[in-house]
């Protein structure tokens, strides 16, 4: 119910956080580390903990936590959902797994930022430019949007859901903000 006592419908945005420890414990939840999540009078949060007693598993048996991680990583990395390539992600601490995550996220970032000129990239260094590009794209008709894409056939090469955050994206604003913070601390006489 709303504050006025009426039943209202609103949008619900769920973004979850996942922590998997040694394929033995998984913590899955929606809470953020802030007052909105912890005070109890604002956002509604949900959390769950999965555990495996690995001492009871056979040597070749996969527990529910490891199975959860493998399923999740298959989706993130765009691997076959049937587990055909699980040998590539079995050891989460291996250098090969790190390289797979890094190359997948870099490739996806490169494709997306080359197809969509408003997608976060190192070329967009201030927020006003980002907003301008987003508004320009959203104001177009569906036909104009399609025509504004640069070789959209490349989108078929995107694997999974990972993208690397471009380190220079909005970098000018970050520098300016830091500079303003420093200047605010200097007493002017």
């Amino acid at each position: 119910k709303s504050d006025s006592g009426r039943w209202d419908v609103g949008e619900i945005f769920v973004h979850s956080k996942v922590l998997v420890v040694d394929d033995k414990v998984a913590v899955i939840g929606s809470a953020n580390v802030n007052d909105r999540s912890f005070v109890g009078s604002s956002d509604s949060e949900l959390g769950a903990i999965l555990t495996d007693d690995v001492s009871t598993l056979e040597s070749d048996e996969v527990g529910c936590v490891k199975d959860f991680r493998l399923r999740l990583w298959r989706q993130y990395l765009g691997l076959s959902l049937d587990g055909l390539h699980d040998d590539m992600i079995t050891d989460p601490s291996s250098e090969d797994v790190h390289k797979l995550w890094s190359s997948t996220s870099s490739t996806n970032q490169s494709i997306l930022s080359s197809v969509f000129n408003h997608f976060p990239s190192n070329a967009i260094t201030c927020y006003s430019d980002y907003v301008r590009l987003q508004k320009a794209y959203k104001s177009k008709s569906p036909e104009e949007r399609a025509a504004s894409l640069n070789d959209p056939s490349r989108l078929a090469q995107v694997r999974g859901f990972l993208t690397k955050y471009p380190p220079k994206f909005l970098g000018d604003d970050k520098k300016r903000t830091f500079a303003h913070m420093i200047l605010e601390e200097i007493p002017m006489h």
Side-chain angles (χ1 to χ4, degrees), residues 42-63:
S42 182
D43 293 350
S44 297
E45 307 295 353
L46 182 66
I49 298 175
L50 298 174
T51 60
D52 270 329
D53 181 358
V54 293
S55 66
T56 64
L57 296 175
E58 298 295 325
S59 62
D60 61 342
E61 192 175 4
V62 174

Side-chain angles (χ1 to χ4, degrees), residues 136-179:
Y137 182 77
K138 290 178 181 177
S139 69
K140 296 177 181 184
S141 70
E143 295 80 18
E144 291 171 322
R145 286 182 185 183
S148 73
L149 302 181
N150 304 309
D151 192 13
S153 65
R154 293 193 65 215
L155 294 173
Q157 298 169 15
V158 171
R159 289 193 345 235
F161 301 104
L162 300 178
T163 58
K164 187 169 273 187
Y165 187 84
K168 295 179 183 174
F169 176 63
L170 306 183
D172 291 350
D173 287 341
K174 293 172 193 168
K175 291 175 199 169
R176 186 169 39 255
T177 302
F178 183 68

Side-chain angles (χ1 to χ4, degrees), residues 104-112 157-163:
T104 301
S105 63
S106 293
T107 300
N108 288 348
Q109 169 61 32
S110 176
I111 293 168
L112 292 167
Q157 298 169 15
V158 171
R159 289 193 345 235
F161 301 104
L162 300 178
T163 58

Side-chain angles (χ1 to χ4, degrees), residues 7-124:
W7 288 101
D8 286 338
V9 175
E11 294 177 324
I12 298 173
F13 296 96
V14 176
H15 65 280
S16 59
K17 291 81 177 169
V18 175
L19 170 70
V20 178
V21 181
D22 296 334
D23 286 341
K24 297 175 187 173
V25 178
V27 181
I28 308 153
S30 61
N32 294 301
V33 182
N34 61 26
D35 287 346
R36 284 181 47 185
S37 289
F38 291 131
V39 169
S41 60
S42 182
D43 293 350
S44 297
E45 307 295 353
L46 182 66
I49 298 175
L50 298 174
T51 60
D52 270 329
D53 181 358
V54 293
S55 66
T56 64
L57 296 175
E58 298 295 325
S59 62
D60 61 342
E61 192 175 4
V62 174
C64 72
V65 175
K66 185 172 184 175
D67 182 59
F68 170 72
R69 179 184 62 80
L70 292 172
R71 288 171 185 256
L72 197 61
W73 284 23
R74 287 178 207 138
Q75 291 180 8
Y76 285 170
L77 293 162
L79 300 175
S80 174
L81 297 180
D82 62 7
L84 186 64
H85 303 289
D86 280 0
D87 58 318
M88 296 171 61
I89 56 174
T90 299
D91 179 4
S93 64
S94 76
E95 184 65 28
D96 289 339
V97 169
H98 179 264
K99 287 177 183 175
L100 178 63
W101 276 75
S102 184
S103 66
T104 301
S105 63
S106 293
T107 300
N108 288 348
Q109 169 61 32
S110 176
I111 293 168
L112 292 167
S113 63
S114 70
V115 173
F116 301 101
N117 71 347
H118 62 281
F119 193 81
S121 71
N122 286 326
I124 303 172

